[in-house]
């Protein structure tokens, strides 16, 4: 298996030289004026597809863009319209956004005898409705609908309650599918993917905060704990697991298919909710991924127990990873990996579902490109972080490929074979929810951004479906949203007797528990929730204190040359100290009695101390060979190409 790595080295060198050639042959890159034209072109792409859907497929789920017909693919409830809601708002289309929200509020129902994917229904339908509600109900977004009366939020709560039976398993990890009318079928498969069980926290967590009902957040957090408790001693998770026994049925660990968004939601749940437990798990999981899966600049799949390589494969779902690394503050490897991934796009005009790094060819049976957004997403985030014009050039190439290879009479077609650009009569709803959204944001940022995301009242977290989830006080500071003068905690008093808010996200009282690992063989029941505490409605004044993370801001992983596990003792915990800076608004509660409030701005330096779990890590037998080959790759790439890479960067 080690013979694979020279091929990876050779192909990396060829791709890097190819990328340098591409950069030097482009004229002067994308100018601000051209960025405006490209933004307008992407705007037209959205409406070509959206109008095609509305005129030929609505209210069916998705469009068949070659034959201009519709089809039900998920549940038969206007999937593409729901998935497109926040893109309409982002583009400033008040009329169509309001009309769409009104139609959905009046016509959408979930009391139907349909068996649906818990994962897809959550990220597409629940996420789309939540994002639409948060935009339509808030004057600060500029898209407030005067007649709107929380219809989408009521639909969200109804849908989520119909999904809850899927979580009734011994491990807490949900079934993959559930019937919206009858619950889980007795013959339903007990096997689910890691992504399917671990990519529900954002949508369900936001819903808990909007409804003051902790059950939604509790079940999804328990699912994450159930998965993480069964990680290997290398801190890796597999691809598929039995939700009853907790046994892994597929032990291939990677960052792509079946696992990808598990990593994504660990970090984003921390960023949105401030829950340090998610940050701790992410840092442990990310460190293991970078140590065992990263073959600079590519990522491979390995056995979760031994770290032996099982797949030297780039699959298109991996392309989200550089964007996630930007959010984690790990920019350098993100740049190199994006360069490698984009070189595959340049070779074929699209990214195939699988590209074999050993044979340097499209993986058999994985030749399609179903209009996936992940590479566009990473391109947007890297441009936002670096403002390097190479990412605008990349975006322009992607627009060109889509316009000349995928555009068809009523929308944009799947590409069934990237080598021959053969079109297929299907358009996924995520093309409108994500693919064109990230391209539009990329060029709008270059042209001088004026949109909800860049200039709006809140910072936004993008869900894995590209839906906009704002970091409002109600969502991000559930216990602190009345901590500034004149603010109110607007809870529904009528629910306080029967529903309480889960405060397990506050780790001030027992920070030591935060950094303790779970035994991989332990049951999720060992990780109990803290007792929920009710919060009275309509409070004015000072709420309980900020959590550690909220006090000191977001602490990112430090970029170091040292391997995360290099030189690590098997019986000792190693602490990594990451310095950050933040400004904290501190209110003096003693001033309340005098009728005044003293506010002090404190400039603070924070330390995020991350400890490895208190378990013994067993290193794979081939660790030294792994380090040797990895060092060889890095040494040869640095000696042969360092000057060219620096110039291209």
């Amino acid at each position: 298996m080690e013979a694979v790595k020279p091929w990876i080295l050779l192909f990396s060198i060829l791709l890097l030289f190819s990328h340098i050639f591409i950069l030097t042959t482009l004229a002067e890159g994308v100018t601000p004026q051209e960025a405006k034209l490209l933004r307008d072109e992407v705007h037209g792409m959205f409406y070509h597809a959206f109008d095609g859907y509305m005129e030929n497929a609505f209210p069916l789920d998705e469009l068949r863009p070659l034959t201009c017909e519709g089809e039900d693919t998920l549940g038969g409830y206007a999937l593409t319209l729901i998935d497109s809601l926040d893109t309409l708002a982002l583009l400033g289309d008040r009329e169509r956004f309001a009309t769409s929200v009104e139609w959905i509020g009046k016509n959408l129902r979930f009391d139907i005898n349909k068996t649906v994917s818990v994962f897809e229904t959550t990220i597409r339908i629940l996420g789309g409705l939540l994002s639409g509600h948060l935009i339509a109900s808030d004057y600060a977004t500029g898209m407030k609908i005067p007649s709107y009366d929380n219809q989408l939020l009521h639909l969200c709560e109804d849908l989520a309650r119909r999904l809850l039976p899927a979580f009734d398993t011994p491990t807490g990890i949900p079934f993959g599918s559930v019937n919206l009318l009858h619950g889980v079928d007795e013959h339903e498969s007990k096997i689910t993917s890691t992504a399917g069980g671990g990519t529900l926290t954002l949508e369900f967590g936001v819903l808990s905060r909007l409804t003051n009902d902790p059950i939604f957040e509790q079940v999804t957090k328990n699912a994450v704990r159930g998965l993480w408790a069964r990680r290997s001693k290398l801190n890796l998770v597999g691809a598929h697991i039995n939700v009853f026994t907790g046994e892994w049925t597929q032990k291939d660990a990677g960052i792509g298919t079946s696992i990808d968004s598990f990593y994504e939601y660990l970090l984003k749940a921390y960023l949105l909710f401030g829950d340090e437990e998610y940050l701790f798990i992410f840092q442990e999981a990310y460190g293991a991924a970078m140590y065992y899966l990263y073959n600079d600049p590519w990522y491979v799949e390995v056995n979760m127990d031994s770290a032996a390589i099982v797949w030297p494969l780039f699959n298109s779902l991996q392309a989200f990873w550089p964007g996630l690394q930007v959010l984690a503050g790990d920019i350098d490897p993100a740049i190199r990996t994006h360069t490698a991934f984009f070189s595959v796009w340049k070779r074929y005009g699209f990214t195939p579902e699988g590209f074999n790094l050993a044979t340097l060819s499209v993986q058999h049976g994985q030749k399609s490109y179903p209009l996936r957004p992940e590479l566009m997403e990473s391109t947007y985030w890297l441009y936002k972080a670096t403002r390097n014009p190479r990412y605008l050039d990349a975006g322009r190439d992607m627009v060109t490929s889509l316009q000349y290879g995928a555009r068809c009479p009523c929308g944009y077609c799947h590409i069934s074979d990237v080598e021959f650009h053969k079109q297929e009569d299907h358009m996924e709803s995520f093309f409108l929810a994500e693919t064109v959204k990230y391209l539009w944001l990329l060029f709008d940022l270059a042209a001088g951004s004026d949109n909800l995301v860049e200039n709006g009242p809140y910072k936004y977290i993008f869900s894995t479906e590209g839906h906009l989830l704002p970091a409002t006080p109600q969502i991000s500071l559930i216990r602190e949203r009345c901590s500034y003068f004149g603010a109110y905690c607007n809870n529904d008093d009528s629910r306080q007797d029967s529903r309480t808010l889960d405060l397990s996200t506050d780790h001030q009282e027992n920070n030591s528990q935060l950094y303790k690992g779970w035994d991989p063989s332990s049951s999720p029941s060992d990780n109990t929730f803290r007792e929920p505490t009710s919060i009275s409605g309509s409070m004015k004044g000072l709420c309980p204190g900020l959590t550690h993370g909220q006090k000191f801001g977001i602490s990112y992983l430090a970029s170091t040359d040292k391997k995360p596990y290099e030189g690590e003792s098997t019986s000792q915990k190693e602490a990594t100290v990451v310095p950050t800076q933040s400004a904290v608004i501190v209110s003096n509660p003693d001033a309340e009695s005098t009728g005044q409030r003293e506010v002090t701005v404190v400039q603070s330096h924070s330390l995020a101390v991350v400890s490895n779990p208190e378990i013994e890590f067993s290193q794979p037998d081939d660790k030294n060979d792994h380090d040797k080959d990895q060092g060889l790759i890095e040494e040869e790439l640095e000696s042969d190409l360092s000057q060219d890479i620096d110039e291209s960067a």
Side-chain angles (χ1 to χ4, degrees):
M1 191 62 69
E2 294 297 326
V4 165
K5 292 185 178 180
W7 286 105
I8 297 177
L9 171 63
L10 174 62
F11 190 55
S12 299
I13 293 173
L14 292 174
L15 290 177
L16 286 169
F17 273 126
S18 173
H19 178 70
I20 293 166
F21 175 74
I22 292 167
L23 287 176
T24 56
T25 55
L26 285 172
E28 296 180 356
V30 176
T31 65
Q33 183 59 36
E34 188 179 0
K36 292 181 181 179
L37 295 175
L38 286 165
R39 178 190 62 188
D40 293 342
E41 184 173 357
V42 175
H43 183 276
M45 292 169 62
F46 172 83
Y47 279 104
H48 173 63
F50 182 76
D51 291 344
Y53 166 75
M54 294 300 294
E55 294 168 6
N56 300 283
F58 175 78
L60 301 180
D61 280 339
E62 291 179 321
L63 172 69
R64 296 171 62 89
L66 271 177
T67 57
C68 298
E69 298 173 348
E71 59 181 333
D72 279 335
T73 53
L74 186 61
Y77 27 55
L79 167 63
T80 298
L81 179 64
I82 295 171
D83 231 1
S84 304
L85 279 179
D86 58 5
T87 308
L88 288 168
L90 182 64
L91 297 178
D93 194 338
R94 290 178 175 83
E95 181 179 353
R96 295 199 192 191
F97 175 71
T99 302
S100 300
V101 169
E102 182 179 1
W103 184 92
I104 292 169
K106 290 181 178 179
N107 296 279
L108 190 62
R109 296 292 179 272
F110 295 116
D111 53 344
I112 53 177
N113 187 16
K114 291 271 189 177
T115 297
V116 299
S117 163
V118 173
F119 171 75
E120 295 291 350
T121 302
T122 297
I123 66 171
R124 299 200 197 194
I125 300 298
L126 185 58
L129 292 173
L130 281 171
S131 181
H133 161 74
L134 289 163
I135 294 170
S137 61
D138 192 345
Y139 279 106
T141 64
M143 301 294 291
K144 163 75 174 176
I145 301 173
S147 62
Y148 180 71
D149 190 25
N150 295 334
Q151 292 92 336
L152 300 192
L153 180 60
H154 298 323
L155 286 169
C156 288
E157 187 172 5
D158 176 50
L159 175 59
R161 293 197 183 283
R162 295 176 186 278
L163 299 178
L164 284 179
F167 293 87
D168 187 15
T169 66
T171 63
I173 305 168
F175 285 98
S177 300
V178 65
N179 186 283
L180 295 177
L181 200 59
H182 304 296
V184 178
D185 186 87
E186 61 179 336
H187 302 297
E188 177 62 34
S189 171
K190 294 180 176 62
I191 309 302
T192 194
S193 68
T194 299
T199 313
L200 312 168
T201 49
L202 293 189
E203 292 83 0
F204 275 69
V206 168
L207 184 60
S208 276
R209 284 155 167 74
L210 295 180
T211 62
N212 296 326
D213 189 339
I215 185 62
F216 307 113
E217 183 170 4
Q218 285 177 348
V219 295
T220 54
K221 189 172 186 179
N222 201 40
V224 172
R225 287 168 165 170
L227 289 164
W228 186 242
R230 291 165 175 82
R231 69 198 184 280
S232 73
K233 290 186 176 181
L234 307 182
N235 276 350
L236 296 173
V237 293
H240 291 94
I241 193 169
N242 186 305
V243 301
F244 265 59
T245 67
E247 296 294 322
W248 294 99
T249 59
Q250 185 181 356
K251 292 193 170 186
D252 296 352
I255 62 166
T257 305
S258 300
I259 306 176
D260 51 350
S261 48
F262 171 75
Y263 290 100
E264 178 185 1
Y265 269 36
L266 289 175
L267 179 59
K268 289 183 176 180
Y270 168 69
L271 294 176
L272 188 59
F273 303 137
D275 187 339
E276 290 177 320
E277 185 174 351
Y278 289 117
L279 175 63
F280 168 65
I281 298 174
F282 172 76
Q283 290 180 312
E284 293 292 295
Y286 181 80
M290 293 301 291
Y291 185 61
Y292 295 109
L293 309 179
Y294 186 42
N295 282 264
D296 194 356
W298 304 95
Y299 290 82
V300 295
E301 295 184 9
V302 304
N303 179 278
M304 64 180 288
D305 294 317
S306 67
I309 294 178
V310 295
W311 275 110
L313 189 73
F314 159 63
N315 72 67
S316 60
L317 288 173
Q318 293 178 351
F320 87 101
W321 190 259
L324 184 66
Q325 289 181 305
V326 170
L327 291 179
D330 203 4
I331 306 295
D332 289 342
I335 292 173
R336 294 196 297 274
T337 295
H338 181 276
T339 299
F341 289 176
F342 180 61
S343 66
V344 177
W345 180 286
K346 291 290 295 184
R347 180 169 181 171
Y348 297 105
F350 302 101
T351 47
E353 289 290 79
F355 182 83
N356 193 303
L357 299 175
T359 63
L360 309 182
S361 62
V362 177
Q363 180 71 13
H364 179 71
Q366 299 185 33
K367 295 184 176 183
S368 66
Y369 169 68
L371 305 177
R372 290 201 185 279
E374 285 77 15
L375 190 60
M376 291 77 169
E377 177 184 2
S378 289
T379 303
Y380 163 68
W381 283 112
L382 276 166
Y383 178 70
K384 189 170 184 177
T386 67
R387 302 304 167 110
N388 191 317
R390 75 156 78 169
Y391 300 111
L392 298 178
D393 296 335
R396 178 175 55 186
D397 287 345
M398 295 170 191
V399 169
T400 301
S401 293
L402 290 169
Q403 290 287 63
Y404 287 96
R407 189 179 177 103
C408 42
C410 296
Y412 290 82
C413 291
H414 279 203
I415 303 300
S416 60
D417 189 327
V418 298
E419 293 179 301
F420 299 100
H421 287 197
K422 183 178 178 181
Q423 293 183 341
E424 182 181 340
D425 194 15
H426 185 64
M427 186 182 79
E428 292 274 4
S429 65
F430 59 64
F431 179 75
L432 296 175
E434 300 181 82
T435 307
V436 293
K437 179 183 288 173
Y438 286 119
L439 286 172
W440 188 87
L441 284 168
L442 170 68
F443 296 119
D444 188 62
L445 190 60
S449 58
D450 183 18
N451 63 68
L452 189 63
V453 171
E454 306 297 343
N455 304 104
Y458 313 115
K459 298 297 183 183
Y460 284 88
I461 296 296
F462 290 83
S463 75
T464 196
E465 187 73 6
H467 291 308
L468 307 178
L469 301 176
T472 65
Q474 185 180 15
I475 293 173
S476 296
L477 302 175
I478 190 63
R479 290 192 61 187
E480 294 77 35
R481 64 180 185 268
C482 58
S483 63
Y484 55 94
F485 185 70
Y488 288 87
C489 292
N490 293 319
N491 291 332
D492 186 350
D493 290 330
S494 65
R495 295 188 176 194
Q496 291 305 318
D497 293 337
S498 59
R499 298 179 184 179
T500 55
L501 288 171
D502 177 19
L503 301 181
S504 61
T505 58
D506 184 358
H507 294 273
Q508 284 191 105
E509 299 176 9
N510 187 9
N511 280 331
S512 61
Q513 186 177 359
L514 172 65
Y515 301 115
K516 291 183 179 179
W518 295 276
D519 189 292
S521 62
S522 66
S523 167
S525 60
D526 295 337
N527 302 318
T528 58
F529 289 97
R530 293 174 55 184
E531 288 297 324
T533 305
S534 64
I535 299 178
S536 61
S538 193
M539 295 195 323
K540 182 177 181 180
L542 185 67
C543 282
L546 300 172
T547 64
H548 174 83
Q550 291 158 351
K551 281 182 181 177
F552 300 123
I554 298 168
S555 300
Y556 297 119
L557 287 170
S559 298
T560 63
D561 294 329
K562 181 182 177 182
K563 300 287 186 185
Y565 296 98
E566 199 169 48
E568 178 182 0
S569 169
T570 58
S571 60
Q572 264 185 323
K573 293 196 299 181
E574 178 181 338
T576 303
V577 180
V578 186
T580 63
Q581 295 184 354
S582 61
V584 185
I585 306 298
V586 180
S587 301
N588 185 355
D590 296 334
E592 293 293 333
S593 60
T594 64
Q596 295 180 343
R597 190 160 191 169
E598 180 181 351
V599 180
T600 306
V601 179
V602 181
Q603 293 292 338
S604 63
H605 296 269
S606 62
L607 298 177
V609 182
V610 182
S611 303
N612 291 326
E614 294 180 353
I615 57 175
E616 294 189 358
F617 288 90
S618 60
Q619 303 296 340
D621 295 336
D622 60 345
K623 176 179 182 297
N624 292 333
D625 291 335
H626 174 91
D627 289 341
K628 179 180 178 181
D629 290 336
Q630 180 66 21
L632 177 63
I633 293 174
E634 293 175 351
E635 181 179 349
E636 293 191 16
L637 282 175
E638 288 178 3
S639 61
D640 294 342
L641 300 171
S642 60
Q643 183 176 357
D644 291 331
I645 294 174
D646 289 340
E647 292 175 358
S648 67

